[in-house]
Amino acid sequence: MFPDGPVVLAEMVSRLEHALAVSPAEATEISWLEVRRGQESTGKRRRDSYELHERSVLVRVRESGRTGMYRTSAATLSDLENAVREALAQARLAAPSPPPLDRRRGLGRVE
C-alpha cells in the first residue's frame, strides 16, 4: 500500500498545481504516476495472490541553463514543495545542458 494511502485525483491535481505555482525555477515539470500491480492464483492449494501499490513523482526543473531532477514516492504538499527545492539544488550543481530544440526547424536556439 501507499505509505499515506491513495490520494483522490482532485486533491492530487490541487497539490501538483500548488507545487508548480510556488516553484521559483524558470521551468518546472512534474510527472505523477500511481500503479497497482497484482497477481491472482486460481490454484486450489496455492494462495499467492497479492497486490502492490506504487507511487512515483518526478520533478524536473530548468534554472539558468541547467536541469535538475528529483524523484519521490511522497505526495503531501510539503513533500512536493521539498521535491521542487531538491530539483533546484540539483540544477544548481549540474553542468550546463544544451538548449532545447526548436521544433519548427529541428535546430538549437534560433538567433
Side-chain angles (χ1 to χ4, degrees):
M1 293 297 283
F2 299 117
D4 54 349
V7 181
V8 178
L9 178 61
E11 175 63 24
M12 192 63 187
V13 169
S14 174
R15 293 177 189 181
L16 295 172
E17 287 175 343
H18 173 78
L20 286 171
V22 299
S23 174
E26 294 168 5
T28 303
E29 175 183 288
I30 302 177
S31 301
W32 165 54
L33 178 67
E34 287 194 9
V35 178
R36 185 175 67 190
R37 300 173 196 228
Q39 176 179 333
E40 289 292 327
S41 172
T42 58
K44 292 180 181 178
R45 298 177 204 244
R46 295 184 61 191
R47 294 268 190 216
D48 58 353
S49 299
Y50 67 89
E51 189 171 275
L52 299 174
H53 297 241
E54 299 173 13
R55 174 185 301 127
S56 182
V57 179
L58 175 67
V59 177
R60 186 170 71 162
V61 299
R62 184 111 170 124
E63 183 69 27
S64 302
R66 301 166 190 266
T67 302
M69 291 185 279
Y70 186 77
R71 183 181 309 269
T72 183
S73 62
T76 65
L77 197 53
S78 62
D79 289 325
L80 294 172
E81 290 172 354
N82 286 337
V84 170
R85 284 192 285 275
E86 290 286 344
L88 272 168
Q90 291 294 326
R92 291 180 181 129
L93 295 173
S97 48
L101 293 176
D102 182 352
R103 294 177 194 258
R104 295 170 297 190
R105 296 184 184 183
L107 304 173
R109 185 177 293 165
V110 178
E111 304 278 332

